[in-house]
C-alpha cells in the first residue's frame, strides 16, 4: 500500500537528512551529515543545471521511462511536470504513484529522485509554471483542460557530483592505473525524507 496522504507527505518535507555515502556504499557517521538547507541547495543546483528529466513509472509490464522538461522553479522538495491528460504515464501514476526521476548534466552530475507522483489540476499552478516553450511542445495553451500537472512528492534523492568531466576522467584513470582504492571519484550523497 502506498502512502499518498498529502499532509503526511508535506510534513515529511520538513525533515530532510543528507547522509553521505562512503566508498563501500554505507552511510557515513552522523557528524558528517549536512543540514536540510545545505542538501536542498545542492540538489537544487544539480537539477537546475539539467534541462531534461527522465521520469520512470511502474507499468503492468515493468518500468517505463520517458523524457520530461525540467521546470524553471526552485526545488523545495517537490518536482513539477506538465503532461497531457490522455497519456499512459497518467494512467500508470494513478494505478501506482511510485516514480523515479533522473537527471544528468554534461556527464558531471547525476541525480536520482524517488517519490510519489500525483495528478494536479490547478489552473493557477499551471499559469505559474507555464512558459511559451510548452505551447510548442504540447500544441496547447496553459488553460487547455487536456493539459495537467504531475507533482512528485520527493521521498529521497541520491546524487553524484564529479565536479568536472576532466577531473572525473583523470581520477578514473588514476584509480585504474595506480590501483588506488582511495582515489576520490566525486561526491555521492543520499537524502531520505523520514516518513
Amino acid at each position: 500500500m502506498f502512502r499518498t496522504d498529502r499532509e503526511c507527505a508535506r510534513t515529511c518535507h520538513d525533515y530532510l537528512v543528507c547522509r553521505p555515502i562512503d566508498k563501500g556504499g554505507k552511510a557515513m557517521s552522523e557528524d558528517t551529515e549536512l543540514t536540510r538547507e545545505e542538501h536542498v541547495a545542492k540538489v537544487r543546483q544539480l537539477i537546475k543545471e539539467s534541462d531534461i528529466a527522465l521520469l520512470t513509472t511502474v507499468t503492468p509490464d515493468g518500468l517505463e521511462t520517458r523524457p520530461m522538461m525540467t521546470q524553471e522553479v526552485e526545488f523545495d522538495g517537490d518536482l513539477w511536470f506538465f503532461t497531457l491528460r490522455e497519456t499512459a504515464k497518467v494512467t500508470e501514476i494513478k494505478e501506482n504513484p511510485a516514480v523515479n526521476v533522473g537527471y544528468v548534466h554534461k556527464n558531471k552530475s547525476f541525480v536520482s529522485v524517488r517519490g510519489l507522483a500525483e495528478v494536479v489540476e490547478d489552473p493557477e499552478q499551471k499559469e505559474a509554471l507555464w512558459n511559451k516553450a510548452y505551447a510548442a511542445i504540447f500544441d496547447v495553451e496553459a488553460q487547455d483542460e487536456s493539459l495537467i500537472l504531475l507533482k512528485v512528492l520527493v521521498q529521497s534523492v541520491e546524487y553524484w557530483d564529479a565536479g568536472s568531466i576532466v577531473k572525473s576522467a583523470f581520477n578514473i584513470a588514476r584509480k585504474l592505473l595506480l590501483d588506488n582504492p582511495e582515489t576520490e571519484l566525486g561526491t555521492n550523497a543520499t537524502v531520505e525524507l523520514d516518513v
Side-chain angles (χ1 to χ4, degrees):
M1 172 115 310
F2 295 99
R3 298 182 71 177
T4 58
D5 179 62
R6 283 189 194 193
E7 185 176 344
C8 174
R10 178 56 47 216
T11 303
C12 294
H13 284 297
D14 295 336
Y15 186 69
L16 186 63
V17 177
C18 173
R19 294 183 179 88
I21 306 298
D22 68 14
K23 291 175 180 58
K26 296 180 182 176
M28 294 168 67
S29 67
E30 289 185 22
D31 60 333
T32 60
E33 289 183 2
L34 302 175
T35 66
R36 179 188 194 281
E37 292 77 21
E38 290 170 329
H39 187 73
V40 168
K42 180 65 173 179
V43 172
R44 181 182 301 127
Q45 172 200 351
L46 295 174
I47 288 174
K48 190 174 188 176
E49 293 174 353
S50 302
D51 295 329
I52 302 296
L54 293 173
L55 173 69
T56 302
T57 58
V58 180
T59 73
D61 297 324
L63 301 175
E64 183 74 30
T65 302
R66 75 275 291 156
M68 304 291 285
M69 191 169 166
T70 300
Q71 293 297 310
E72 295 179 8
V73 295
E74 294 293 311
F75 172 73
D76 64 356
D78 295 330
L79 298 174
W80 293 90
F81 301 100
F82 280 102
T83 191
L84 295 174
R85 180 185 309 279
E86 300 299 323
T87 60
K89 68 182 147 293
V90 172
T91 303
E92 294 158 6
I93 287 168
K94 287 180 178 179
E95 291 175 5
N96 184 341
V99 298
N100 186 272
V101 182
Y103 296 90
V104 177
H105 181 260
K106 296 181 184 175
N107 295 328
K108 72 174 190 174
S109 63
F110 310 88
V111 180
S112 178
V113 177
R114 181 176 50 84
L116 298 175
E118 63 180 321
V119 173
V120 176
E121 300 187 48
D122 180 346
E124 290 179 15
Q125 186 69 9
K126 284 171 41 175
E127 284 291 337
L129 296 174
W130 186 256
N131 72 49
K132 292 182 181 184
Y134 295 118
I137 294 169
F138 295 108
D139 200 26
V140 298
E141 292 300 320
Q143 304 81 14
D144 193 298
E145 290 187 15
S146 68
L147 187 71
I148 59 172
L149 289 166
L150 298 178
K151 178 180 180 180
V152 178
L153 301 163
V154 176
Q155 294 176 311
S156 73
V157 179
E158 184 168 9
Y159 69 84
W160 300 263
D161 186 16
S164 76
I165 196 164
V166 174
K167 177 182 171 186
S168 297
F170 174 78
N171 285 336
I172 289 170
R174 187 170 124 193
K175 184 171 185 162
L176 291 173
L177 293 173
L178 300 177
D179 193 27
N180 182 353
E182 299 302 315
T183 300
E184 183 62 45
L185 296 179
T187 302
N188 174 234
T190 299
V191 183
E192 295 290 340
L193 290 174
D194 292 345
V195 180

